[in-house]
Amino acid sequence: MARSQQLTNRQKAAIFLISLGPDLSAEIFKHLEQDEIEQLTLEIANVQKVERDSKELVLDEFNSLWEAKEYVSQGGIEYARNVLEKALGPQQAASLLERLTASLRVRPFEIVRRTDPGQLLSLIQGEHPQTIALILAYLHADQAATIMASLDPDLQADVARRLAIMDRTSPELLKEVERLLENKLANMATQEFAQAGGIESLVQVLNKVDRATERTILESLEIQDPDLAEEIKKRMFVFEDIVLLDDRSVQRVLREVDMNEDLPMALKIVSDDVKEKIFKNISKRAAENLTESIEYLGPVRLKDIEEAQQKIVNVIRRLEEEGEILIARGGGDEIVV
């Protein structure tokens, strides 16, 4: 896979997603069709290692396509054709334009709007309040609200004032700020996921997607490649795996969980083993309240149950990453007393 031309489009897409890292890849998965997710899942799992030259060629190709889109957005197809022909020659220019999709960027900061607010917050740390206000003006309202709430109180007021009195901004300044942010984002992604691939890459992506997508992918893999599916499941943690936690870890997790809403919903449809694991680690009074809460729920949507379970799984994964609990995965971790 030394040259981009020798790779299939599916291989290029897999390398591109691996290079972006699990967070951005998971966001992209949300916008794909089910068959596309399944195909890319298998492709990512089959990539044992991303060679540096392959990654650079794929990212260069994507960058060329992106620049071509920029030229189209700035001045239309003919303007883009003229610029690209001067830079790359008629043949390569025609090839790039043919591969562009019909959906072109019409608003600034499109890539930034698809970025997780937490990651975006780290990108704008240290920027001038006017720059932060400019960026917030072009974000979705929920993104802007999340970032505004995370700023220092003094900075919040300054940014809010600048945002309120903002009128017009020159296109040149918008493009410059956008370019700087996208460069920061690209550098962050490549640094975090420089040399990776294979099952571990896929596991990190699956750990970020919603429970329904995770289940669908695993069920499909169980049919297409049972051994691969089993290996992936060994490296993941799903809600039912709570039985793998020792009692002290379960008690630590429950201190972080909403006992009135999330836990009753999560336990609405689970095995007796999972319920027993939870109930043995709470007081008798708490167990009685939990039982009443589960019964009081009545009929509920499967989606709501899965969302509650995913919240608890996220707590467990976070606590494991912080070293506060230990998950005894089959065949891997041994606890030394």
Side-chain angles (χ1 to χ4, degrees):
M1 298 198 303
R3 294 186 58 82
S4 178
Q5 291 87 345
Q6 296 172 342
L7 299 170
T8 66
N9 288 334
R10 196 177 299 168
Q11 287 172 325
K12 292 178 185 178
I15 291 174
F16 181 70
L17 289 172
I18 290 170
S19 300
L20 289 182
D23 291 329
L24 289 176
S25 296
E27 288 300 313
I28 292 174
F29 265 33
K30 294 178 182 179
H31 302 282
L32 299 179
E33 298 295 333
Q34 188 56 48
D35 60 334
E36 295 172 328
I37 293 176
E38 293 173 4
Q39 292 168 8
L40 281 174
T41 296
L42 284 172
E43 199 65 55
I44 291 173
N46 287 328
V47 178
Q48 297 304 315
K49 181 180 179 181
V50 177
E51 300 295 340
R52 183 176 297 277
D53 58 346
S54 295
K55 184 186 74 173
E56 290 177 352
L57 285 167
V58 168
L59 292 178
D60 284 345
E61 183 176 330
F62 173 81
N63 187 59
S64 296
L65 285 168
W66 183 256
E67 287 182 348
K69 267 192 177 182
E70 281 288 89
Y71 294 139
V72 173
S73 299
Q74 291 171 14
I77 293 291
E78 289 308 313
Y79 170 79
R81 192 187 309 280
N82 289 334
V83 174
L84 292 171
E85 285 181 352
K86 290 178 182 179
L88 306 173
Q91 185 174 356
Q92 194 171 350
S95 175
L96 282 174
L97 289 174
E98 286 176 5
R99 295 169 62 184
L100 289 178
T101 61
S103 58
L104 302 175
R105 289 172 61 183
V106 294
R107 290 190 64 200
F109 301 106
E110 182 175 344
I111 287 182
V112 177
R113 283 197 299 276
R114 296 198 297 266
T115 302
D116 176 75
Q119 191 174 27
L120 183 54
L121 180 64
S122 67
L123 288 177
I124 64 175
Q125 291 289 354
E127 295 290 345
H128 191 277
Q130 185 67 28
T131 302
I132 297 176
L134 175 63
I135 294 168
L136 295 186
Y138 284 92
L139 296 180
H140 297 301
D142 56 345
Q143 288 178 304
T146 300
I147 292 173
M148 182 73 84
S150 302
L151 297 175
D152 291 335
D154 292 341
L155 186 58
Q156 285 176 340
D158 193 3
V159 170
R161 183 184 63 83
R162 293 172 185 273
L163 182 60
I165 65 176
M166 188 179 298
D167 186 12
R168 296 182 181 181
T169 306
S170 70
E172 291 77 16
L173 178 59
L174 280 175
K175 288 170 185 173
E176 178 63 18
V177 173
E178 184 177 20
R179 183 184 65 80
L180 291 174
L181 276 179
E182 290 177 3
N183 285 341
K184 281 187 177 182
L185 186 62
N187 290 335
M188 181 181 294
T190 53
Q191 286 170 8
E192 290 177 352
F193 225 69
Q195 293 250 339
I199 294 175
E200 193 57 40
S201 301
L202 179 59
V203 168
Q204 291 186 53
V205 172
L206 292 180
N207 280 340
K208 301 290 184 179
V209 300
D210 60 89
R211 185 76 191 278
T213 301
E214 174 188 293
R215 188 182 67 250
T216 301
I217 291 174
L218 288 175
E219 288 176 352
S220 177
L221 283 176
E222 285 172 352
I223 297 173
Q224 300 180 44
D225 194 334
D227 292 338
L228 175 61
E230 183 62 29
E231 183 62 28
I232 290 171
K233 286 193 288 186
K234 283 182 181 178
R235 304 191 193 191
M236 294 186 65
F237 187 96
V238 295
F239 184 74
E240 290 75 12
D241 291 336
I242 202 166
V243 297
L244 300 176
L245 299 178
D246 59 64
D247 290 344
R248 186 171 63 178
S249 294
V250 173
Q251 293 162 19
R252 176 67 184 89
V253 170
L254 291 177
R255 292 204 298 269
E256 304 264 341
V257 170
D258 185 337
M259 300 286 288
N260 296 319
E261 294 186 10
D262 290 340
L263 187 59
M265 182 68 73
L267 295 178
K268 182 67 176 177
I269 304 177
V270 292
S271 68
D272 291 338
D273 289 342
V274 174
K275 286 185 177 179
E276 181 181 350
K277 188 71 173 181
I278 298 294
F279 279 93
K280 72 178 291 190
N281 284 288
I282 58 178
S283 67
K284 182 178 179 181
R285 178 63 181 273
E288 292 173 353
N289 291 338
L290 181 57
T291 300
E292 291 178 1
S293 297
I294 295 173
E295 294 173 351
Y296 182 76
L297 286 173
V300 294
R301 297 185 305 171
L302 179 60
K303 179 181 178 182
D304 293 334
I305 296 174
E306 291 178 341
E307 287 179 353
Q309 291 177 347
Q310 191 62 48
K311 286 182 181 179
I312 297 173
V313 167
N314 290 342
V315 170
I316 293 171
R317 289 171 177 165
R318 174 174 59 79
L319 291 175
E320 184 191 25
E321 289 175 1
E322 295 172 355
E324 295 202 32
I325 64 174
L326 179 67
I327 301 173
R329 292 180 170 84
D333 299 332
E334 294 183 359
I335 302 176
V336 180
V337 179

